[in-house]
Amino acid sequence: MKIGFVDHHLNNFHANKFLSLLHGPLADLGARVTLAWESDPVADAEGNEDWCGKNEIARAESAETVAATCDAVIILAPDNIEAHLELCRRVFPAGKPCMVDKFLAPTLTEAREIVSLAERYGMRLFSASSLRFAVESEAAISALDKRVTESFARGMGDWGGYGVHTLSLVLSAMGHDVVRVIDTGGPESASVTLDYGDRRGYVEVRSAENMWEALPWSFGYRADGRYVTGQIQDFDGFYANLMRRTVEFFQSGTSPITVDEMLKVVAILERTAESRKQGGVWLGV
């Protein structure tokens, strides 16, 4: 299977990690990145702007060429979610299955337009945070034989671009049928309550200069009166799981997450940000 990368700038961690996994530990899946294109090239830490040359990947002249040539497309731009809609507009007309990195778009309006484009061109769509498939949380969820009645997740970064990772640790255990949200956090933090009607999940996301050392991702799931807790330590594991699910999706056409769930993620992120802007009030999702 020939996979194409379409990105805002290819010199980013996700492009490097996805490529190394697909061509390394996951090579037995038979999926290789053969073509790539970026809209706004930037140099890496060593000053090298040519990601394609460095990684021996053919550089396409356009996003449309990638979509027309490859069997499937991964739209990355993990640091530029605002670019997703325009990249989707260029890729989707080819009708190839597509994975959109992290989450669909920064607003529900744009996310719905992406879904509408996918429907118009009859193409299959998948989008998720890599933390949705964290090794530790998947193991905890599979070990529970009762309904999760409460959960929490703690993590790092800013809510708009990084909150989806911590949020996904709760959604993977409790589902996406959130009724309303509230964020009572401060300038450098988000303290979010997800109200499911009869259950609640709690998401804390904080930013700091030393956040990678001080604020590791952690979670807890309550079922049958007991809590199962854990900390995310296998980073290669959740990226590998995401790439494995992505290739399986490309091959089968079946996404592990429904389109409605993809849209709900964006809605939760957007409404939570609005809740904080309004001083911490409950908002329906």
Side-chain angles (χ1 to χ4, degrees):
M1 171 178 286
K2 296 184 295 183
I3 293 177
F5 278 4
V6 170
D7 211 333
H8 181 271
H9 57 273
L10 285 160
N11 272 313
N12 67 71
F13 183 80
H14 282 201
N16 293 332
K17 178 59 68 174
F18 295 173
L19 179 70
S20 67
L21 287 167
L22 291 171
H23 290 197
L26 302 181
D28 61 330
L29 296 177
R32 292 191 64 82
V33 179
T34 60
L35 197 60
W37 178 85
E38 57 190 332
S39 60
D40 297 82
V42 298
D44 61 16
E46 288 73 43
N48 183 358
E49 191 175 285
D50 187 7
W51 184 91
C52 289
K54 178 175 60 179
N55 291 287
E56 299 182 343
I57 303 296
R59 181 179 292 274
E61 61 183 18
S62 67
E64 290 84 351
T65 301
V66 174
T69 305
C70 295
D71 300 311
V73 179
I74 296 177
I75 293 178
L76 295 102
D79 304 317
N80 300 89
I81 306 299
E82 73 283 355
H84 280 176
L85 176 56
E86 178 56 30
L87 295 177
C88 289
R89 286 172 176 156
R90 303 186 65 169
V91 167
F92 285 13
K96 304 296 177 64
C98 182
M99 190 277 266
V100 179
D101 197 13
K102 287 175 76 169
F103 56 100
L104 290 176
T107 70
L108 187 57
T109 298
E110 292 184 7
R112 284 175 172 156
E113 185 171 346
I114 288 173
V115 170
S116 178
L117 284 169
E119 293 172 348
R120 181 189 311 171
Y121 294 109
M123 50 81 62
R124 304 186 304 273
L125 181 64
F126 167 47
S127 181
S129 157
S130 53
L131 267 293
R132 172 63 187 250
F133 308 107
V135 174
E136 296 84 356
S137 63
E138 285 195 330
I141 293 168
S142 65
L144 297 172
D145 59 359
K146 301 289 185 179
R147 184 171 184 249
V148 176
T149 56
E150 183 180 276
S151 69
F152 69 81
R154 301 187 180 106
M156 68 191 87
D158 67 283
W159 181 256
Y162 233 63
V164 66
H165 298 315
T166 310
L167 172 65
S168 294
L169 291 171
V170 168
L171 297 182
S172 62
M174 297 187 68
H176 294 68
D177 54 338
V178 177
V179 177
R180 60 178 185 160
V181 297
I182 187 171
D183 182 1
T184 55
E188 302 296 334
S189 66
S191 181
V192 178
T193 300
L194 309 175
D195 185 6
Y196 286 78
D198 60 342
R199 302 176 298 157
R200 286 190 175 180
Y202 304 93
V203 181
E204 298 176 13
V205 179
R206 295 182 173 85
S207 181
E209 292 181 2
N210 64 333
M211 62 185 185
W212 287 97
E213 296 79 27
L215 302 170
W217 280 297
S218 60
F219 63 87
Y221 305 138
R222 179 185 174 94
D224 198 25
R226 297 177 59 85
Y227 250 104
V228 174
T229 62
Q231 181 174 312
I232 307 303
Q233 298 177 318
D234 188 353
F235 280 51
D236 275 353
F238 62 67
Y239 282 120
N241 279 346
L242 174 63
M243 285 297 96
R244 190 174 291 108
R245 302 298 204 289
T246 298
V247 174
E248 290 172 354
F249 157 69
F250 288 156
Q251 293 170 336
S252 70
T254 302
S255 169
I257 299 176
T258 68
V259 169
D260 284 345
E261 289 171 338
M262 298 177 212
L263 289 172
K264 199 63 174 283
V265 168
V266 178
I268 292 169
L269 291 170
E270 185 177 44
R271 296 298 277 170
T272 299
E274 181 62 26
S275 170
R276 190 198 309 194
K277 185 185 296 185
Q278 294 187 27
V281 297
W282 284 105
L283 292 176
V285 180

